[in-house]
Amino acid sequence: QVQLIESGGGLVQAGGSLRLSCAASGRTASTYTMGWFRQAPGKEREFVASISRTGGLTNYADSVRGRFTISRDGAKNTVHLQMSSLKPEDTAVYYCAATNRASVIYGNYGIDYWGKGTLVTVSS
């Protein structure tokens, strides 16, 4: 069993930056590929970014590539999402996710664990 707890959400102006964190706990948490998803009001949950167990493989949605950076601290079993040049359309609840089925996440299939989410609001 892996528990995921997100933090770092909040209100930010367009063009600003925010850093999300996801703390993973559990005996095997360090072996999981980790990712971030988001769900805006009235929309389906969508993939944002993922990072492999070792940090050697990352993947980003086209909508955030070049603006968001995912990283992980293996010693602390923590994954971060550094978000820059934020836009109002980035407003959503951001969820941390974990899977041990693949080294890269492309979508929400095959996710083994989800966090409860943290709200990011970008004002124009």
Side-chain angles (χ1 to χ4, degrees):
Q1 189 78 5
V2 174
Q3 294 79 41
L4 306 174
I5 300 178
E6 303 96 335
S7 62
L11 175 64
V12 63
Q13 288 188 333
S17 299
L18 207 58
R19 188 194 197 206
L20 304 183
S21 297
C22 172
S25 61
R27 186 169 56 88
T28 60
S30 63
T31 68
Y32 281 69
T33 295
M34 303 293 293
W36 289 94
F37 288 74
R38 66 186 183 186
Q39 186 168 19
K43 294 188 177 181
E44 294 186 352
R45 188 175 300 187
E46 64 176 5
F47 166 75
V48 174
S50 73
I51 188 166
S52 61
R53 176 179 60 85
T54 63
L57 290 174
T58 58
N59 187 37
Y60 296 92
D62 289 342
S63 59
V64 306
R65 186 174 288 113
R67 299 188 299 121
F68 291 9
T69 301
I70 190 170
S71 62
R72 70 188 297 165
D73 182 338
K76 297 181 180 179
N77 279 347
T78 302
V79 176
H80 304 287
L81 185 68
Q82 179 67 46
M83 305 184 294
S84 303
S85 302
L86 283 162
K87 307 174 182 179
E89 50 263 45
D90 293 318
T91 295
V93 176
Y94 283 71
Y95 296 90
C96 184
T99 180
N100 66 356
R101 303 168 195 243
S103 297
V104 179
I105 297 173
Y106 297 99
N108 59 10
Y109 44 86
I111 299 298
D112 295 302
Y113 300 101
W114 293 95
K116 294 185 177 181
T118 184
L119 177 63
V120 172
T121 303
V122 183
S123 63
S124 57

